[in-house]
């Protein structure tokens, strides 16, 4: 028997040999049947659902944390839809549906004002915090769902008690939900980009939408069933409290499951602290496990580091040209950044030719400076050697060192003229 080809669909698909038997001249297709394959063939529904709801090439086409994240994300979506169903019932009662004293026009005005406040909120929040959503996508993903639960809590607990203030209450809760819409949608896009290993962003996003739509459909009917069981406000409050608690827990687990390989300030400081302490590089899994996803940072610096500042800040602080020249001369002429301390912050001034890796290097030098104010000038080349060592170890551990999620302003300058 002669074996011509061995074929497999993905890394976990069916293996097939194409062979020519000893007594034949034609090539024959021979499946290699393992136990897992037999189980999958018996459950055709499982294979069909996998094609409908999972990206093509799964699990090879997505990141390793995709499955864990989607399980918890599905659970939180289920809980959120049930809460939404309960809130819809409360809102409709709040604007007077079923009451003889409320006409259609007044209810319509309330609804339009509610939606209008939401539109204004979306525009304002996108302007105010838009750049932060990439930098701290995990934190804002969690914050968005917390605000969503807060808005629904207001509609469930407060609205029935103050029906004469229904318009103001609904405008306030819709404003919170508008922030949720912007923050949740933007951070979901950032996480989807992380999961799409093969540039299959559209496929991963569409399958995620399909999963959520299916879950929302099922949860809506569960929510309707729960509404039929509610005979008092006490029962409503109890159900809402339990579902919201499960929703927040599932969200926390979903965000914790994500393992981002790009440095933002929080992850970078965790990695730098360990490197400066032991010359050891933490893996993305270790750093993500240590990263705070609620409030604050695991590691902080003694002075705020601001990247991409205007040189006006430097001139206003020191004024003297000789002092400025001395600061510039402290750095290698080939570097694309200058670091200088002011009263309010440690400023990093970037050159026109700065690349993402230069920004990471500048932040590395800035943190080194904060450890010892004399290092920049007296131990410049020692820091340079440490940076090269850090860069090599980061690549070996799987960090993406050609991109970053540090917050950088847009000022650039040239001091080599």
């Amino acid at each position: 028997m002669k074996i011509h080809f061995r074929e497999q669909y993905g890394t976990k698909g069916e293996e097939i040999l194409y062979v020519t038997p000893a007594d034949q001249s034609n090539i024959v297709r021979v499946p290699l049947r393992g136990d897992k394959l037999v189980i999958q063939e018996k459950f055709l529904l499982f294979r069909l659902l996998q094609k409908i709801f999972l990206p093509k090439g799964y699990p090879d086409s997505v990141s390793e944390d995709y499955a864990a994240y989607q399980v918890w994300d599905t659970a939180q979506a289920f809980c959120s839809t049930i809460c939404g169903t309960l809130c819809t019932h409360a809102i409709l009662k709040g604007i007077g549906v079923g009451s003889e004293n409320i006409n259609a026009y007044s209810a319509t005005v309330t609804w339009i004002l509610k939606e209008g406040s939401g539109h204004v909120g979306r525009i304002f929040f996108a302007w105010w915090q838009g750049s932060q959503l990439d930098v701290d996508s995990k934190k804002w993903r969690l914050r968005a769902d917390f605000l969503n639960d807060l808005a629904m809590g207001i509609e469930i607990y407060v609205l029935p008690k103050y029906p004469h203030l229904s318009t103001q209450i609904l405008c306030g809760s819709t404003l919170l939900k508008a922030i949720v819409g912007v923050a949740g949608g933007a951070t979901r896009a950032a996480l989807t980009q992380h999961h799409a290993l093969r540039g299959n962003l559209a496929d991963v996003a569409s399958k995620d939408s399909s999963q959520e739509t299916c879950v929302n459909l099922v949860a809506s009917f569960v929510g309707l069933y729960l509404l039929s069981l509610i005979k008092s406000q006490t029962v409503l409050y109890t159900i809402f409290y339990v579902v919201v608690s499960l929703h927040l827990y599932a969200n926390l687990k979903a965000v914790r499951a994500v393992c981002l390989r790009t440095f933002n300030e929080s992850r970078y400081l965790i990695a730098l602290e360990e490197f400066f302490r032991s010359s050891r590089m933490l893996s993305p899994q270790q750093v993500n496990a240590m990263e705070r996803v609620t409030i604050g940072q695991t590691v902080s610096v003694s002075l705020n580091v601001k990247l991409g500042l205007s040189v006006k800040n430097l001139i206003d602080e020191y004024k003297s040209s000789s002092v400025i020249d001395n600061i510039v001369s402290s750095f290698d002429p080939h570097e694309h950044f200058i670091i200088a301390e002011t009263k309010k912050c440690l400023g990093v001034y970037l050159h026109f030719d700065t690349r993402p890796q230069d920004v990471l290097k500048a932040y590395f030098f800035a943190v080194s400076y904060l450890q010892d104010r004399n290092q920049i000038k007296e131990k410049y080349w020692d820091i340079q050697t440490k940076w090269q060592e850090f860069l090599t170890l980061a690549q070996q551990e799987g960090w993406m060192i050609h991109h970053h999620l540090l917050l950088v302003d847009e000022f650039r300058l040239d001091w080599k003229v």
Side-chain angles (χ1 to χ4, degrees), residues 347-377:
V348 178
Y349 305 89
L350 302 174
H351 193 268
F352 285 109
D353 298 331
T354 300
R355 300 164 301 171
Q357 195 174 110
D358 294 321
V359 175
L360 288 172
K361 184 177 181 179
Y363 198 92
F364 183 95
F365 270 69
V367 174
S368 298
Y369 170 81
L370 290 175
Q371 291 185 320
D372 182 356
R373 256 64 171 181
N374 296 319
Q375 281 200 68
I376 290 292
K377 194 163 187 177

Side-chain angles (χ1 to χ4, degrees), residues 166-224:
S166 61
T167 301
Q168 293 90 329
I169 293 171
L170 286 174
C171 286
S173 65
T174 305
L175 189 63
L176 290 176
K177 289 182 179 179
I179 296 175
V180 173
V182 176
T187 53
R188 182 178 292 274
L191 295 178
T192 300
Q193 188 174 29
H194 158 71
H195 289 137
L197 288 184
R198 296 178 178 174
N200 52 337
L201 185 62
D203 186 26
V204 173
S206 62
K207 294 301 171 32
D208 179 65
S209 178
S210 295
Q211 294 170 29
E212 189 166 349
T213 301
C214 181
V215 169
N216 289 346
L217 180 62
V218 175
S220 295
F221 287 109
V222 174
L224 286 173

Side-chain angles (χ1 to χ4, degrees), residues 54-350:
L54 294 176
K56 185 177 181 181
Y58 174 86
D60 305 315
S61 60
V62 292
S63 59
E64 294 179 357
D65 54 6
Y66 176 82
Y69 171 78
Q70 288 301 131
V71 167
W72 288 110
D73 188 53
T74 298
Q76 71 83 20
F78 184 83
C79 295
S80 181
T81 302
I82 291 176
C83 289
T85 303
L86 300 178
C87 284
T88 300
H89 181 259
I91 290 171
L92 292 176
K93 287 182 67 177
I95 63 175
V97 173
S99 173
E100 295 180 355
N101 299 324
I102 303 295
N103 59 44
Y105 178 76
S106 62
T108 302
V109 170
T110 299
W111 195 268
I112 289 175
L113 289 174
K114 177 181 85 74
E115 292 299 305
S117 64
H119 296 323
V120 173
R122 288 187 189 93
I123 295 170
F124 176 78
F125 181 75
W127 162 74
W128 179 45
Q129 288 289 342
S131 59
Q132 289 283 350
L133 301 179
D134 277 317
V135 173
D136 276 321
S137 58
K138 292 199 284 186
K139 279 185 180 178
W140 278 108
R141 181 79 178 86
L142 198 60
R143 289 170 184 171
D145 285 289
F146 173 78
L147 289 175
N148 189 48
D149 290 341
L150 177 62
M152 290 190 290
I154 291 172
E155 292 166 353
I156 290 286
Y157 291 101
V158 181
L159 186 58
K161 295 181 180 179
Y162 303 96
H164 59 288
L165 297 175
S166 61
T167 301
Q168 293 90 329
I169 293 171
L170 286 174
C171 286
S173 65
T174 305
L175 189 63
L176 290 176
K177 289 182 179 179
I179 296 175
V180 173
V182 176
T187 53
R188 182 178 292 274
L191 295 178
T192 300
Q193 188 174 29
H194 158 71
H195 289 137
L197 288 184
R198 296 178 178 174
N200 52 337
L201 185 62
D203 186 26
V204 173
S206 62
K207 294 301 171 32
D208 179 65
S209 178
S210 295
Q211 294 170 29
E212 189 166 349
T213 301
C214 181
V215 169
N216 289 346
L217 180 62
V218 175
S220 295
F221 287 109
V222 174
L224 286 173
Y225 174 71
L226 291 176
L227 279 175
S228 67
L229 299 178
I230 296 172
K231 305 300 181 184
S232 66
Q233 289 295 100
T234 304
V235 176
L236 173 62
Y237 294 161
T238 302
I239 292 175
F240 182 78
Y241 176 78
V242 171
V243 176
V244 163
S245 299
L246 292 173
H247 178 239
L248 290 174
Y249 177 76
N251 262 298
L252 182 61
K253 295 292 286 185
V255 171
R256 283 286 186 194
V258 176
C259 180
L260 297 175
R261 295 178 177 272
T262 307
F263 285 121
N264 66 353
E265 186 176 36
S266 179
R267 290 188 290 275
Y268 202 17
L269 285 173
I270 293 171
L272 288 177
E273 183 188 49
E274 181 62 28
F275 177 77
F276 289 136
R277 185 176 63 85
S278 64
S279 296
R280 188 172 67 92
M281 186 68 205
L282 295 176
S283 67
Q285 291 79 8
Q286 291 171 311
V287 171
N288 277 267
M290 296 169 66
E291 182 186 13
R292 288 188 185 178
V293 294
T294 50
I295 56 174
Q297 293 186 171
T298 308
V299 180
S300 59
V301 288
S302 58
L303 187 63
N304 190 22
V305 179
K306 291 190 176 181
L307 301 163
L309 279 184
S310 168
V311 76
K312 181 178 182 298
N313 293 273
L314 189 62
I315 294 171
D316 289 344
E317 180 73 20
Y318 295 102
K319 294 182 173 58
S320 172
S321 61
S322 60
V323 176
I324 301 294
D325 290 340
N326 186 47
I327 292 172
V328 174
S329 65
S330 300
F331 294 85
D332 187 323
H334 298 96
E335 292 292 7
H336 291 153
F337 59 86
I338 296 171
I339 297 171
E341 184 177 351
T342 62
K343 294 176 182 177
K344 296 181 179 179
C345 67
L346 182 61
V348 178
Y349 305 89
L350 302 174

